[in-house]
Amino acid sequence: MEIWKWVFVGVLWYAGFVLSTGAVELGRSQHTERISGSAGDVLEDDPVGRLKVFVYELPRKYNKKILQKDPRCLTHMFAAEIFMHRFLLSSPVRTLNPDEADWFYTPVYTTCDLTTNGLPLPFKSPRMMRSAIQLISSNWPYWNRTEGADHFFVVPHDFGACFHYQEEKAIERGILPLLQRATLVQTFGQRNHVCLKDGSITVPPYAPPQKMQTHLIPEKTPRSIFVYFRGLFYDVGNDPEGGYYARGARAAVWENFKDNPLFDISTEHPATYYEDMQRAVFCLCPLGWAPWSPRLVEAVIFGCIPVIIADDIVLPFADAIPWEEIGVYVDEEDVPNLDTILTSIPPEVILRKQRLLANPSMKQAMLFPQPAQPGDAFHQVLNGLARKLPHDKSVYLRPGEKILNWTAGPVGDLKPW
């Protein structure tokens, strides 16, 4: 069995000479394969002309002033909320006439309150969001017509609008009651979870396109690494007894494969991290505290087949990107068999996944570039919103009808912001 594995790896090394590595620069020539069926067609949809969005003009304290206080918000993995706002302000789908709008957008930067280490603190976010909703419901009539059913909010925190970075606490909190009827655009996605409501649009976390562009290596560089991962296996500071962080999946990767020559895994984050991903066949994308991470974006951009280890995860733009065709799903309980699972995949299947990953539309859909480009993540969000139209007549409330409870939720959330 061990000899066969090395023969298999040798075939893949040879394939690495033939196949180009994934590139952020979509104009580079690559060996690609078009996505067959509806997935490819949906990725290339143009949302312009299919919907109109009204952007509320909020006081700067809800967005621009917060960013001015801490510009680090522009580069962390939650920055989609900022760039989505900027995109919509100049997008052709924007309308200045709210009476003709299909959707209403409230630009609130809920992940821009950062610790000294650059991690977002969600504790003020519920009060901030409530305050913004109170403002738009008082100054405009549109929220009150539907109680938010034709409004969307970008909530890219670990567990979305549950507004907590620890899953247990997030579940206990639940989605902010005032957002129960709105469409949520969020990075968190997990089936049968209280922090993902029906109709939400799951998006990729922000990864800096320009930074990745500067780390491209020659296209013909062979993929000489079989499995690659850099990151934590244990979080001793927050999970001293172990087993809770990543539900033990990352610990299982380390304990089973730290000495396996097929696995290049470590807690160290080298300066060549992006280059190494372009030299790898498989990149592990295990859950951490939340099921998602920027590794998924990085893997797709650099043409490294993502190995998704996060049970019940809902992946970005799952109605447009054929994740089953470009990635590999491994159940958390099957991590000890990871080497057998990956070496059992036929080389022709590996090669096809690599060709699909090299498709420019696949890469573009995972990025929030500046300026925006056709088919990028901004446009995929708009496509998702357009596919929800027209709104069902039932979303419009009768005169005097109320559904949401403005006094529901933890007492701390009800304090003024």
Side-chain angles (χ1 to χ4, degrees), residues 7 11 16 38 69 72 88 125 214 255 268 279 329 331 340 404 412:
V7 171
V11 171
S38 61
K69 179 182 176 182
R72 291 179 299 170
L88 286 170
S125 301
T214 62
E255 294 301 330
E268 297 179 0
R279 296 186 181 98
Y329 287 88
D331 291 342
T340 301
L404 299 178

Side-chain angles (χ1 to χ4, degrees), residues 123 126-128 130 163 173 176-177 408-416:
F123 308 118
R127 289 188 290 134
M128 183 181 180
R130 280 180 56 89
F163 293 124
R173 288 186 52 84
L176 187 72
V411 175
D413 291 359
L414 306 182
K415 297 178 181 178

Side-chain angles (χ1 to χ4, degrees), residues 345-362:
I345 300 175
E348 61 269 20
V349 174
I350 301 284
L351 297 176
R352 182 169 188 271
K353 289 181 184 294
Q354 291 177 323
R355 289 195 299 270
L356 288 172
L357 281 170
N359 190 306
S361 63
M362 195 80 67

Side-chain angles (χ1 to χ4, degrees), residues 232-401:
L232 290 177
F233 298 99
Y234 305 91
D235 189 345
V236 179
N238 295 299
D239 182 27
E241 297 181 5
Y244 186 66
Y245 177 62
R247 295 196 284 260
R250 292 196 185 201
V253 169
W254 179 250
E255 294 301 330
N256 285 278
F257 305 111
K258 59 186 176 184
D259 298 321
N260 189 315
L262 296 178
F263 284 68
D264 187 346
I265 59 176
S266 172
T267 57
E268 297 179 0
H269 202 286
T272 58
Y273 174 69
Y274 284 155
E275 289 83 353
D276 292 343
M277 293 188 85
Q278 294 170 78
R279 296 186 181 98
V281 177
F282 294 104
C283 288
L284 301 185
C285 301
L287 74 163
W289 286 113
W292 60 270
S293 83
R295 287 182 189 84
L296 188 68
V297 177
E298 296 161 349
V300 171
I301 295 303
F302 292 127
C304 186
I305 298 170
V307 180
I308 300 152
I309 307 171
D311 293 355
D312 296 321
I313 190 173
V314 176
L315 292 166
F317 308 129
D319 57 346
I321 296 177
W323 289 105
E324 294 82 2
E325 295 186 52
I326 65 173
V328 176
Y329 287 88
V330 175
D331 291 342
E332 293 166 25
E333 66 178 8
D334 291 334
V335 167
N337 303 317
L338 198 53
D339 56 344
T340 301
I341 293 170
L342 296 181
T343 55
S344 298
I345 300 175
E348 61 269 20
V349 174
I350 301 284
L351 297 176
R352 182 169 188 271
K353 289 181 184 294
Q354 291 177 323
R355 289 195 299 270
L356 288 172
L357 281 170
N359 190 306
S361 63
M362 195 80 67
K363 301 176 186 300
Q364 192 74 289
M366 299 297 286
L367 296 174
F368 295 92
Q370 307 299 307
Q373 300 172 17
D376 62 17
F378 299 117
H379 290 84
Q380 300 308 325
V381 171
L382 294 182
N383 283 334
L385 293 170
R387 287 194 286 272
K388 294 177 178 292
L389 297 175
H391 295 295
D392 191 88
K393 292 181 179 179
S394 63
V395 307
Y396 297 97
L397 305 180
R398 297 184 298 272
E401 182 182 6

Side-chain angles (χ1 to χ4, degrees), residues 179-200:
L179 294 177
Q180 290 291 345
R181 287 173 59 80
T183 289
L184 303 180
V185 177
Q186 59 186 67
T187 45
F188 173 76
Q190 183 173 317
R191 288 185 293 274
N192 305 315
H193 198 287
V194 298
C195 298
L196 180 69
K197 63 191 288 291
D198 289 343
S200 298

